């Protein structure tokens, strides 16, 4: 008779992760954003430590350029597992300026979830790079390759915003017998996931932060099951020692 040996990792995985994920009520109760750092720093860039940063000397209707983040909670809203949802919006206030311009910035997004009555806050970090382009170059050609006063460059040459997420910023957490993970997809511009976008001059430009809740359930063994499992481990170890001595 042929003996089939099952790896112990498979046995453990089967024992603890045999149950399908169960659906429970999930709510986003609070989503907020804080600009934690910027280059250059204060006083060239104001508002570090808040949800809005501004820079430059305004030359159009007294408006500075700036970044802000507005979370969509409160009020709280319900989330379905494995269904995309929006957490909040990023805004670039793109207005003509002189003087120092933003180069880089870091955004800390805090998301508080209420899952089956248990509250958990997850923090995620996004790094931004900013390119403040010339609004009206003599050549008539903008930095994005398009012509001035056409398309996205209609009110002047567009600026470029680039963003990336710190991959280690999200975490898995356990409620009851289910492990949950908040997967932040990134920023969507014109309904498409993007790592960068060109923003119109003299306008407030918006990108939406999207996410997904993933869940996997695991089974916590009864004491009797643990005892049987322990005996099986002892038997497995004894069999291996016997096989070495033969």
């Amino acid at each position: 008779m042929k003996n089939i040996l099952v790896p112990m990792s498979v046995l453990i995985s089967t024992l603890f992760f045999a149950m399908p994920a169960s659906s429970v009520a999930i709510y986003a109760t609070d989503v907020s954003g804080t600009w934690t750092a910027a280059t250059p720093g204060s006083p060239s860039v104001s508002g570090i430590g808040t949800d809005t940063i501004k820079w430059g000397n305004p030359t159009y209707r007294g408006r500075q350029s700036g970044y802000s983040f507005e979370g969509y909670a409160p009020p709280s809203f319900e989330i379905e597992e494995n269904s995309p949802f929006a957490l909040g919006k990023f805004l670039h206030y793109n207005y003509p300026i002189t003087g120092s311009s933003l180069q880089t910035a870091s955004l800390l997004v805090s998301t508080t979830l209420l899952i089956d009555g248990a509250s958990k806050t997850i923090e995620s970090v996004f790094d931004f790079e900013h390119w403040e382009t010339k609004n009206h170059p003599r050549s008539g050609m903008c930095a994005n390759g398009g012509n001035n006063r056409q398309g996205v460059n209609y009110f002047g040459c567009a600026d470029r915003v680039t963003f990336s997420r710190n991959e280690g910023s999200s975490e898995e957490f356990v409620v009851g017998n289910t492990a949950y993970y908040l997967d932040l997809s990134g920023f969507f511009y014109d309904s498409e996931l993007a790592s960068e976008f060109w923003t119109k001059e003299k306008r407030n430009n918006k990108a939406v932060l999207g996410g997904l809740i993933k869940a996997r359930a695991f089974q916590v063994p009864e004491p009797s099951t643990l005892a049987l499992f322990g005996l099986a481990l002892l038997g497995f170890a004894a069999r291996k020692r016997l096989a070495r001595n033969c």
Side-chain angles (χ1 to χ4, degrees):
M1 182 175 66
K2 183 178 180 180
N3 292 326
I4 301 177
L5 298 180
V6 180
M8 296 310 297
S9 60
V10 174
L11 291 175
I12 295 172
S13 176
T14 302
L15 182 65
F16 285 88
F17 297 92
M19 295 176 62
S22 58
S23 179
V24 298
I26 304 175
Y27 294 90
T29 59
D30 188 80
V31 182
S32 63
T34 303
W35 298 97
T36 58
T39 304
S42 179
S44 297
V45 177
S46 64
I48 298 174
T50 72
D51 61 4
T52 302
I53 53 176
K54 294 286 184 73
W55 62 86
N57 302 315
T59 62
Y60 177 78
R61 297 182 179 179
R63 298 177 180 179
Q64 286 183 290
S65 286
Y67 283 176
S68 74
F69 182 83
E70 300 176 12
Y72 288 160
S76 62
F77 58 89
E78 189 169 5
I79 303 168
E80 293 184 7
E81 291 178 19
N82 300 312
S83 294
F85 68 98
L87 290 87
K89 63 182 178 181
F90 160 78
L91 290 170
H92 174 208
Y93 309 112
N94 189 357
Y95 294 99
I97 59 168
T98 61
S100 298
S101 173
L102 181 74
Q103 298 174 24
T104 65
S106 294
L107 173 66
L108 174 66
V109 177
S110 298
T111 306
T112 301
L113 302 174
L114 187 65
I115 302 178
D116 200 22
S119 182
K120 176 68 176 180
T121 299
I122 302 99
E123 294 186 338
S124 305
V125 178
F126 292 87
D127 296 319
F128 287 71
E129 292 185 2
H130 184 83
W131 185 8
E132 191 89 26
T133 66
K134 290 185 177 181
N135 291 334
H136 301 289
R138 291 184 177 181
S139 66
M141 184 67 66
C142 294
N144 63 353
N147 293 320
N148 196 7
R149 302 189 186 281
Q150 294 182 14
V152 71
N153 303 314
Y154 185 82
F155 298 103
C157 291
D159 293 342
R160 188 182 68 185
V161 177
T162 306
F163 30 69
S164 61
R165 181 170 69 88
N166 182 336
E167 293 298 331
S169 60
S170 290
E171 60 183 302
E172 188 177 75
F173 55 97
V174 176
V175 177
N177 68 337
T178 305
Y180 295 90
Y181 179 79
L182 174 60
D183 181 13
L184 293 183
S185 308
F187 287 94
F188 290 79
Y189 183 66
D190 285 342
S191 301
E192 293 186 0
L193 185 63
S195 59
E196 68 175 39
F197 68 109
W198 294 89
T199 63
K200 293 180 181 179
E201 198 73 28
K202 299 180 181 178
R203 291 293 183 271
N204 296 339
N205 300 265
K206 180 179 74 172
V208 176
L209 178 59
L212 192 73
I213 293 288
K214 298 179 180 180
R216 60 181 179 85
F218 58 91
Q219 183 176 4
V220 179
E222 297 292 334
S224 58
T225 304
L226 285 174
L228 290 174
F229 184 63
L231 290 174
L233 286 176
L234 290 174
F236 181 78
R239 184 171 180 177
K240 290 187 68 175
R241 286 198 300 271
L242 182 62
R244 285 199 300 266
N245 294 331
C246 292

